[in-house]
Amino acid sequence: MSCPSRLLRPPARGMGVPPMLFRCGMGVSPMLPDRALTVACILAMLLSCVLAAAPAGAADEPLSPLALAAGTDGRMVYVAAATAPKLLAVDLAAGKVVLQYPLPAAATGVALSADGKTIYATCGLGEGQLVAFDERGAQRWAKPAGHSPTAPVCSPDGKTVYVCDRFNNRVLTISCDGAAAPRPLAASREPVAVVITPDGRKLIVANHLPAGPAIGAAAAAVVCVIDIATGKSVEVALPDGSTGLRGVCLSPDGAYAAVTHILARHHLPTTQLDRGWMNTNALSVIETASASLLNTVLLDDLDRGAANPWGVAWSADGKQICVSHAGTNEFSVIDAPAMLAKLAEAAKAGPARSAEVRNDLAFLAGIRRRVALKGVGPRGVVFAGANAIAAEYFTDTLAVLDPSRPGAKAVSVAVGPAPKESPPRRGERLFNDALSCFQNWQSCASCHPDVRADALNWDLLNDGYGNAKNTRSLLLTHQAAPVMISGVRAKSADAVRAGIRHIQMSGMDEAAAADIEAYLRSLAPVPSPRLVGGKLSESALRGEKLFESAGCAACHSGALGTDEKPHDIGLTDAKGPTKFYTTKLTEVWRTAPYLFDGRAATMTDVLTKFNPNDKHGITSKLTKQQLDDLAEYVLSR
């Protein structure tokens, strides 16, 4: 048994890289002799000048490296730029961008064929595309790839690319020769990362958010193990509170998959942060053959969080797993064989010990080290030869680390000029930053991934104890007041500052809060996946008429679909009947589960199961087709 002091439990209530890879000003390897230090400094200065002159991006236009793919020789890395319509090919040995691939929209993912001769990129929010390039940068073809596609992965035989069709909740099978139409494979909610087993038979899919209601014994996202030939999927349930999945990788033999996510302690009142009281940060290990969860380990330390794990990669020799922490600007380097051995030992000890592991903040002690990165906001991770590479989103750099070298430090390679930071851009960085949070456990993005919601209920104490409410999207909150479903904040600016004080438990200054607010104001809705060619479908057009006749438009009025007033819709919370402010309908298709405590998993549940007295629209006499049409319209907003 583990020592009780190492377990996550509530305390007392209360509060080998070449010198030319160095970016100028980032430092020089202490292992070099004195004369080599001088040479390295000169090389670094020259490299900085070369990269500053490179046409990868203007100083006021960030590139935002998001996802990576490594060339077959371990020298070239392909970079998807999230805020620029391009891919970048970076020669690591030379330390510079050598080629750019123009895209029709901002990149969301990148993959390389097994022979290294074709580069694939996903791009676009809303109606997206998969674009194929040859090694020289010439476009071969472009194909529709669903709604906000991401995370392309190539089959071992080079004939197929699999793409996460994120907001259609599926993975698309796209033929590289164009001979067949894309074949959809059902996933769970918002698939955002996928890998394929070495034999080409199974896909392991990380789904971003929980798909069911927020109330009940457990609310958690799942990992799907899909048999490609049959299309059958097995859902591997993660521990209660698992949300915000971002990355997935495979062991070299394909026996295990590792998935990054947040492990939220959402059943506790938000009174403190110590020892991961609110959010912990985790890695779950899946056995691919049995499609089962081996266990979940925490990436935090006893008194310091490792917020927002994002990318993950497994070294070719099977010895290291590297995880990027977007909130704390770090790598976790894990001794993979040692971790697997400890997990097997825990499994043999029985269910009680296995359950204890996911609360043990010291489980990885001695077999994991944290390595600080030079850049900010590391996201996608890939191995290029012996080096682990991370895309450093906010600094337009790549982190480079040889994890096999004890004590090795990471260096940064620029992929463009140092980006200028506007107030909204600074606000975006701060929104995703956990370094200002007490003990670095979480950032604003921990509960509001992509500024939306984690699909969980939280007891925020702003309206008393014991009445947890479902997390709300922050999109367009500045256009409707008061804020929060109970109306406890007069305006969005108040909610931002209250979150900094009471959830981050931070002393962040007023200028920083204003920048976060500027970032939130800069965001626009993503078009609904229910739209057809950007317009309402026939079903939704019928539903639009029902929306009026059923009385829905009386409260869900105006451009945002809210009259900004409280109403009694016949629901109760822990304290009895209450009134709740009308929820915005803008992007409501993205914000399930619904109602104040997330009790309704679907919009149909809102209209039927949780509207018994027609106090939330007159729906009891509608036919099934009419209910489907009404839900279709609402979800098309």
Side-chain angles (χ1 to χ4, degrees):
M1 297 291 289
S2 297
C3 173
S5 63
R6 352 182 316 186
L7 299 182
L8 187 156
R9 24 176 241 169
R13 209 163 99 193
M15 299 291 311
V17 181
M20 69 278 292
L21 289 184
F22 282 80
R23 185 172 180 174
C24 186
M26 294 294 187
V28 181
S29 170
M31 300 182 67
L32 294 174
D34 292 343
R35 183 173 297 176
L37 289 175
T38 303
V39 174
C41 287
I42 295 172
L43 287 173
M45 292 175 65
L46 291 173
L47 174 59
S48 182
C49 293
V50 169
L51 291 177
D60 58 346
E61 297 177 354
L63 297 169
S64 310
L66 174 66
L68 306 173
T72 54
D73 60 0
R75 172 173 176 150
M76 197 73 70
V77 172
Y78 300 90
V79 183
T83 53
K86 64 183 70 177
L87 287 179
L88 309 173
V90 179
D91 187 324
L92 288 177
K96 64 180 181 180
V97 176
V98 295
L99 194 61
Q100 297 186 53
Y101 303 77
L103 293 170
T108 58
V110 59
L112 196 67
S113 62
D115 61 8
K117 295 182 178 180
T118 307
I119 300 95
Y120 299 96
T122 50
C123 61
L125 290 177
E127 295 182 1
Q129 296 185 58
L130 175 68
V131 186
F133 296 93
D134 65 21
E135 296 172 283
R136 298 180 301 278
Q139 181 176 315
R140 289 180 171 170
W141 49 259
K143 300 180 181 182
H147 193 289
S148 305
T150 189
V153 62
C154 300
S155 61
D157 62 11
K159 296 180 180 180
T160 308
V161 181
Y162 301 93
V163 175
C164 289
D165 184 358
R166 179 173 178 177
F167 293 117
N168 285 314
N169 302 327
R170 62 189 186 177
V171 176
L172 292 181
T173 299
I174 300 177
S175 172
C176 294
D177 60 10
R183 172 191 170 210
L185 299 170
S188 181
R189 183 178 180 185
E190 294 188 33
V192 291
V194 60
V195 288
I196 188 168
T197 53
D199 60 11
R201 295 182 178 180
K202 293 180 179 180
L203 297 175
I204 317 298
V205 184
N207 300 280
H208 187 51
L209 295 176
I215 59 175
V222 302
V223 174
C224 291
V225 180
I226 302 175
D227 184 298
I228 295 172
T230 66
K232 293 182 178 180
S233 176
V234 176
E235 292 189 352
V236 182
L238 300 182
D240 178 34
S242 295
T243 188
L245 278 66
R246 290 291 188 182
V248 61
C249 71
L250 277 173
S251 59
D253 59 4
Y256 300 97
V259 184
T260 60
H261 59 94
I262 289 167
L263 186 56
R265 313 292 165 162
H266 61 111
H267 293 298
L268 299 174
T270 55
T271 55
Q272 60 196 54
L273 286 171
D274 310 66
R275 296 195 182 184
W277 179 276
M278 291 189 208
N279 278 309
T280 48
N281 302 281
L283 185 76
S284 283
V285 181
I286 309 294
E287 293 181 320
T288 57
S290 61
S292 61
L293 176 66
L294 177 58
N295 215 324
T296 298
V297 299
L298 299 181
L299 299 167
D300 312 288
D301 292 319
L302 283 169
D303 58 356
R304 181 176 168 232
N308 306 119
W310 195 296
V312 59
W314 210 310
S315 63
D317 61 8
K319 293 182 178 180
Q320 292 97 25
I321 298 173
C322 283
V323 177
S324 65
H325 296 276
T328 54
N329 308 323
E330 295 174 290
F331 263 141
S332 273
V333 179
I334 302 169
D335 183 330
M339 182 188 70
L340 292 174
K342 287 193 70 174
L343 290 177
E345 181 182 351
K348 289 181 181 179
R353 173 55 185 147
S354 290
E356 191 179 58
V357 167
R358 66 196 58 161
N359 293 316
D360 189 347
L361 286 164
F363 183 81
L364 292 180
I367 61 174
R368 187 278 304 260
R369 71 181 190 273
R370 297 171 71 162
V371 180
L373 303 182
K374 302 289 185 179
V376 178
R379 300 199 170 180
V381 178
V382 70
F383 268 91
N387 289 322
I389 317 295
E392 296 177 312
Y393 183 92
F394 290 107
T395 44
D396 284 359
T397 50
L398 302 182
V400 182
L401 174 74
D402 182 352
S404 66
R405 290 175 50 207
K409 296 183 179 181
V411 297
S412 285
V413 180
V415 298
K420 183 179 179 181
E421 196 171 59
S422 64
R425 178 72 169 183
R426 181 170 181 255
E428 181 183 10
R429 174 172 59 78
L430 293 170
F431 189 88
N432 288 273
D433 174 42
L435 296 180
S436 60
C437 170
F438 176 71
Q439 292 188 347
N440 310 153
W441 291 102
Q442 59 195 22
S443 70
C444 302
S446 297
C447 296
H448 295 282
D450 304 324
V451 182
R452 275 67 179 189
D454 61 4
L456 301 176
N457 288 342
W458 290 95
D459 189 357
L460 299 185
L461 310 184
N462 50 38
D463 54 358
Y465 279 92
N467 52 0
K469 303 292 192 298
N470 196 238
T471 308
R472 318 307 290 177
S473 169
L474 300 184
L475 180 71
L476 302 182
T477 51
H478 64 285
Q479 293 186 17
V483 181
M484 311 182 81
I485 200 165
S486 301
V488 295
R489 305 295 178 202
K491 54 186 183 297
S492 62
D494 297 335
V496 167
R497 286 151 182 82
I500 292 170
R501 289 193 305 272
H502 303 303
I503 305 301
Q504 298 296 91
M505 299 187 181
S506 167
M508 195 180 291
D509 60 30
E510 172 58 28
D515 287 338
I516 291 175
E517 190 178 358
Y519 166 56
L520 298 179
R521 287 173 175 268
S522 73
L523 299 174
V526 176
S528 170
R530 305 284 183 133
L531 297 175
V532 179
K535 298 180 180 180
L536 295 177
S537 67
E538 291 184 6
S539 173
L541 287 171
R542 294 192 299 267
E544 185 176 22
K545 295 178 181 179
L546 291 166
F547 190 79
E548 296 286 340
S549 62
C552 306
C555 300
H556 290 286
S557 57
L560 298 181
T562 175
D563 62 0
E564 304 176 32
K565 296 177 181 178
H567 297 278
D568 180 0
I569 58 173
L571 301 177
T572 60
D573 68 4
K575 296 182 178 180
T578 188
K579 293 183 177 181
F580 300 104
Y581 279 79
T582 308
T583 300
K584 300 186 302 293
L585 294 186
T586 302
E587 230 185 54
V588 71
W589 58 269
R590 191 173 175 174
T591 59
Y594 302 112
L595 304 176
F596 75 96
D597 59 358
R599 65 180 67 184
T602 68
M603 188 57 63
T604 299
D605 287 345
V606 173
L607 300 173
T608 56
K609 183 178 179 180
F610 298 109
N611 187 30
N613 300 313
D614 280 351
K615 297 187 72 173
H616 197 186
I618 304 170
T619 63
S620 60
K621 301 295 179 63
L622 298 181
T623 67
K624 182 181 184 304
Q625 182 62 60
Q626 288 174 319
L627 288 167
D628 289 345
D629 291 341
L630 179 54
E632 187 71 15
Y633 170 67
V634 174
L635 295 172
S636 299
R637 295 288 296 250

